[in-house]
Amino acid sequence: PRSFDQTSKRTMRFLVVGVGGVGGYFGACLATDRNNDVYFVARGETLKTLQTVGLRVDSIKQDIHLRNVQVTTANAPSTVPGPVDCILVAVKTWQIPTVIDELRPLVSRNTVLLPLQNGITAPTVIKKALQGRNGIVTPALCKIISFIERSGHIRHTGVPDPSITFGDDGTGSCPDVLLQSLASRFAAAGIAVSVSNNIQVELWEKLMLVGPWGGVGAVTRSKMGDIRATPETFSLLLAAQKELYEIAVASGVKMTEKNLQKIALIVKEKTPHHGDTSMQRDILAGRPSELEAWLGDPVRLARDLGVPVPTLNFLYHSLLPQEKRASL
């Protein structure tokens, strides 16, 4: 693996909130570029490991071992020279309000916040947590299959060239020059990056991919290969995708049948045989998951719009009792 010392100063300051499969991977990549000044927000065992051992990423693309990691906790933002230029929000959706509230001292009017959660509600949750004070919340998504091997150790196993996509939310709040500047920093760190002119379509496409995958995978306790090999079960996944597409169209997102066909083709031919999602891993382990963001929010939106979603209702309500137990 490549080895890097993170002590030298950088020209763009990033704050990575959450050092799991997503934040750990992309944060480590950013920190390999000496033009970036990267701080990680962690807690518990992860905090101790980053402080003493560093951050390790075992990747099918390229391994990284980051030493002398700059790390802080959410309730001690004064240890980070602020404000920061960009915050990668990589905690679970339900953790956002508390974390953002604690980190508000590091957010200036020009700080870009990139929510990397799956689903469609994270940008709104962040804006509410900021209470209209400072910050440019820019919808974003990432494509990667990765997970925590153990504290401070991330394993990247799927999507050979992980990527980040972001774009203005349609309000013009994030100037194009700023988006392009951020994109150049990601690209320089070896991260595939794109600036989208229609980020809402891409967010819904991602949800159409992971929501049904995670829901069917959690209900059946199965990985993608087994789901695909069982036509009756795979039909549930495709039905859930179609219902999400119908919700998106009803809510005004400019999607067509081609978008639905594109995602269906991905799950049929391009998702790994042993692939699963973070939501089903959390559910199977008895941990709180992002069930609400992936399935609950779409079910409630469908109800408000009058869109029938029997498959999504089945998946969501089948998993809800366990989610409630895990959240106690």
Side-chain angles (χ1 to χ4, degrees):
R2 292 183 294 169
S3 182
F4 299 89
D5 188 308
Q6 205 199 334
T7 54
S8 61
K9 293 299 176 184
R10 327 294 176 125
T11 58
M12 182 172 278
R13 185 166 295 136
F14 288 87
L15 187 69
V16 180
V17 186
V19 195
V22 169
Y25 177 85
F26 289 112
C29 290
L30 286 169
T32 63
D33 183 349
R34 293 186 177 278
N35 289 312
N36 299 326
D37 190 14
V38 182
Y39 287 81
F40 295 85
V41 176
R43 61 182 181 177
E45 278 301 311
T46 301
L47 176 66
K48 294 177 184 177
T49 301
L50 296 186
Q51 289 172 328
T52 56
V53 180
L55 175 60
R56 174 182 168 185
V57 177
D58 289 342
S59 169
I60 57 175
K61 181 177 182 181
Q62 188 165 29
D63 297 340
I64 300 172
H65 187 188
L66 191 65
R67 296 186 173 87
N68 297 310
V69 176
Q70 299 181 133
V71 60
T72 186
T73 59
N75 58 9
S78 61
T79 60
V80 178
V84 298
D85 298 298
C86 178
I87 299 178
L88 270 62
V89 185
V91 294
K92 303 295 186 183
T93 306
W94 52 270
Q95 296 172 316
I96 288 175
T98 300
V99 170
I100 294 299
D101 183 64
E102 293 173 332
L103 294 175
R104 272 192 293 169
L106 297 176
V107 181
S108 75
R109 61 190 298 270
N110 294 318
T111 299
V112 177
L113 296 96
L114 299 178
L116 297 180
Q117 295 76 15
N118 293 312
I120 55 171
T121 56
T124 301
V125 175
I126 293 176
K127 287 180 181 179
K128 185 176 180 180
L130 289 171
Q131 299 178 2
R133 307 174 195 167
N134 292 331
I136 304 171
V137 182
T138 303
L141 60 94
C142 64
K143 295 178 181 178
I144 186 173
I145 297 178
S146 57
F147 55 88
I148 300 173
E149 180 76 13
R150 57 181 176 273
S151 178
H153 181 186
I154 307 303
R155 188 171 296 277
H156 161 222
T157 60
V159 185
D161 195 18
S163 65
I164 287 181
T165 301
F166 49 82
D168 184 74
D169 61 4
T171 65
S173 60
C174 193
D176 187 64
V177 64
L178 185 52
L179 292 173
Q180 296 299 335
S181 176
L182 276 175
S184 70
R185 297 272 29 96
F186 284 107
I191 299 169
V193 61
S194 60
V195 177
S196 174
N197 293 322
N198 200 344
I199 191 65
Q200 290 302 321
V201 168
E202 302 211 36
L203 289 174
W204 274 98
E205 284 186 343
K206 179 75 183 293
L207 183 58
M208 286 162 58
L209 174 65
V210 300
W213 183 358
V216 173
V219 166
T220 63
R221 273 40 179 176
S222 300
K223 297 196 176 186
M224 180 55 80
D226 294 327
I227 294 171
R228 269 196 301 255
T230 311
E232 298 86 351
T233 307
F234 193 56
S235 68
L236 281 177
L237 190 153
L238 296 178
Q241 283 187 347
K242 189 171 189 298
E243 290 174 6
L244 284 169
Y245 163 75
E246 291 168 347
I247 299 169
V249 172
S251 63
V253 179
K254 293 180 172 57
M255 302 183 79
T256 69
E257 289 278 348
K258 288 184 178 180
N259 299 99
L260 177 61
Q261 293 164 4
K262 169 185 170 183
I263 302 304
L265 183 64
I266 290 174
V267 296
K268 287 176 182 177
E269 300 182 358
K270 298 182 179 180
T271 47
H273 181 84
H274 296 291
D276 58 8
T277 68
S278 60
M279 186 183 83
Q280 72 192 82
R281 288 194 296 271
D282 286 338
I283 288 173
L284 294 182
R287 298 187 294 260
S289 76
E290 292 190 280
L291 177 67
E292 293 299 335
W294 291 28
L295 296 178
D297 288 338
V299 162
R300 285 183 285 273
L301 180 57
R303 181 187 60 209
D304 293 342
L305 294 170
V307 178
V309 288
T311 310
L312 291 174
N313 272 319
F314 164 72
L315 295 173
Y316 172 59
H317 292 112
S318 295
L319 296 167
L320 190 55
Q322 181 169 326
E323 185 69 21
K324 288 182 176 179
R325 288 194 300 272
S327 301
L328 292 176

